[in-house]
Amino acid sequence: MKGIILAGGSGTRLRPLTGVVSKQILPVYNKPMIYYPLSVLMLAGIRETLIISTPQHLEMFRSLLGDGSHLGLDIRYTEQKEPNGIAEAFTLGADHIGDDEVTLILGDNVFHGHGFSELLRTTAERLDGCALFGYPVHDPWRYGIAELDAERRLVGLTEKPRDPRSNIAVTGLYMYDNDVVAIARDLVPSDRGELEITDVNRVYLDQGRARLAELGRGFVWLDTGTHDALLEAGQYVQILEQRQGVRIGCVEEVAYRKGFITAEQCHRLGLQQAGTDYGSYLLDLVETEPSPVRRIHAEPFAVQAPVGPR
């Protein structure tokens, strides 16, 4: 399976912070925002990832992540010249996807919660069409909403409904089979001229090939689209990390625990950040666990801006 991180958009609600910097570079506590979605793809076992961003921001991501080889990854980049909708990621990334399945995650998402990596694994193994990830919210009229039947099966999708039929929001994490490329190419743009992800999902739903994986107790979904929400997300990560002594979205740790890099490589990454708490964490990790342990401290937790215009 291939991975795509959509890190475009203008981040207008975060101005002036995003006047010259991509919002996905902004810090969520002690890490760039994009570390969090990248770690989710890594938890799913994905090592080939395409980052899509605006022409003016793409070099920032290249400077930050390079080709990903230091993490045992293959990271590539492409431009989205205009914010033409989430589903454009599949046409822009068609060559990257090739004949494979694909997981798309929005660049302003952070996932954390007990058992998330196992949920990702089982969802990918059972994929037959598309898999969406839903989370209960108290203000469903702000999001794309999933309608479920009595057996909790997905039967409908509505974008920002005035009269919501459920409180289950569709988060910015999606898994698809290879048909998604052709489906996205055949989409008719919306009135805003965008290729809407909800329209892609409805095609799968009409074919009876869309399912919902619910993120319930043990998960939190935060909105990073405003200054207050960005601060709240950072405070959440800060409190959890300081109380538990672990790191959320630490891509080096995930790479080590998944066996993408060796202990020596992880140690070298720690030395590169010597004198910081982050670097000390990596050095301590290798010292206390000299062989990769197949468990991840920092599992899924969602931080996402609302579905809709950026």
Side-chain angles (χ1 to χ4, degrees), residues 256 261-272 283 286 290 292:
Y256 180 57
I261 60 175
T262 65
E264 181 182 359
Q265 290 172 307
C266 188
H267 185 267
R268 190 180 307 127
L269 292 174
L271 288 177
Q272 291 173 2
L283 294 174
V286 175

Side-chain angles (χ1 to χ4, degrees), residues 4 6 50 52-53 77-82 84-97 181 184-185 195:
I4 294 178
L6 184 59
L50 179 71
I52 300 175
S53 189
Y77 304 86
T78 197
E79 296 179 355
Q80 185 183 41
K81 294 182 179 180
E82 299 291 338
N84 293 324
I86 295 173
E88 189 181 33
F90 304 116
T91 59
L92 294 174
D95 289 342
H96 167 72
I97 297 169
V181 175
R185 283 174 173 161
L195 299 181

Side-chain angles (χ1 to χ4, degrees), residues 251-264:
V251 292
E252 297 89 349
E253 178 183 10
V254 178
Y256 180 57
R257 294 190 181 280
K258 296 291 287 186
F260 298 168
I261 60 175
T262 65
E264 181 182 359

Side-chain angles (χ1 to χ4, degrees), residues 148-196:
L148 307 175
D149 64 13
E151 283 75 41
R152 308 297 290 179
R153 291 176 299 194
L154 183 64
V155 295
L157 294 165
T158 310
E159 188 69 23
K160 297 182 179 179
R162 292 185 178 181
D163 185 20
R165 297 187 178 183
S166 87
N167 69 332
I168 305 299
V170 177
T171 70
L173 175 63
Y174 320 83
M175 288 185 178
Y176 298 95
D177 66 12
N178 195 256
D179 291 345
V180 72
V181 175
I183 291 172
R185 283 174 173 161
D186 290 342
L187 282 184
V188 176
S190 67
D191 293 340
R192 297 181 300 183
E194 297 183 359
L195 299 181
E196 302 286 357

